[in-house]
Amino acid sequence: MEKVLRELLSGRLVAIVRGVGPGEIVDTARALAAGGIRALEITFDHTRADGTARTLESIRLLRERMDGELLLGAGTVLAPEEVDLAVEAGAEYIISPVTNPLVVRRTKELGKVSMPGAFTPTEAVEAHRCGADIVKLFPAALLGLDYFKALRGPLGHIRFSAVGGIDDKNAADFLRAGACCLGVGGTLVSLPAIRSGQYQLLTDAARRLCRAVSAAASGEG
């Protein structure tokens, strides 16, 4: 677990892969990896009857085809049973939009990295008390940079990731404000590009985002 956590914190970027089926997942992952992304969050799809099965198949495929190339995590994990399924499929970290103590507890019991979501200071502290390794502030861009800075004032002992509305234009700002890492979805993992087979667009978007992160680390911009 500590190795995975260190790699997440050093990479500082997690691509949120939502709505991408098993038939497209490997090409999607390869395109993102070509642009510099090393961590993927494959989200559970709770909108369709076969959503759980498709999510788990995608994680298994990536574990088989790209083992050692990527840090694989599961997202939108809402129940401890989903933690078990995701870890069995190959997930090394568990991400949720909310803080469910049972999900956090089960994740830690299995020796995996826990990243539950929070919106308020109370939720953030509760997530941290439950054992979260990183607290995901969501939706970060909607709350705004000033909110993020204000939250970290009294809660500087908590690692926060910024998720929701993050792109190459505001990524550096959130990192400079103290985000330990960022979760980036639609602005990076374009479903229209995937559906049309234009995977180079994902690689290009990944490169822009990685440049923004590098600029923040070097103090540029």
Side-chain angles (χ1 to χ4, degrees), residues 55-136:
T55 299
L56 297 172
E57 183 181 352
S58 291
I59 295 174
R60 289 192 191 97
L61 278 171
L62 292 178
R63 179 61 67 196
E64 293 168 2
R65 305 278 184 86
M66 301 185 70
D67 187 30
E69 297 180 53
L70 297 171
L71 289 175
L72 293 177
T76 320
V77 179
L78 303 180
E81 294 80 11
E82 291 176 349
V83 178
D84 290 337
L85 292 170
V87 170
E88 182 182 1
E92 295 290 343
Y93 49 96
I94 301 296
I95 303 177
S96 307
V98 298
T99 293
N100 180 336
L102 296 178
V103 168
V104 177
R105 187 175 303 122
R106 186 58 181 155
T107 301
K108 302 302 291 182
E109 285 174 353
L110 295 177
K112 304 303 178 183
V113 174
S114 172
M115 197 186 305
F119 185 82
T120 67
T122 300
E123 292 171 352
V125 170
E126 175 65 12
H128 182 67
R129 284 177 177 164
C130 287
D133 297 289
I134 298 170
V135 176
K136 163 182 155 179

Side-chain angles (χ1 to χ4, degrees), residues 8-32:
L8 286 172
L9 295 175
S10 63
R12 311 194 80 180
L13 285 173
V14 178
I16 303 169
V17 183
R18 185 184 307 279
V20 179
E24 302 159 320
I25 193 67
V26 175
D27 287 337
T28 297
R30 286 176 174 159
L32 293 169

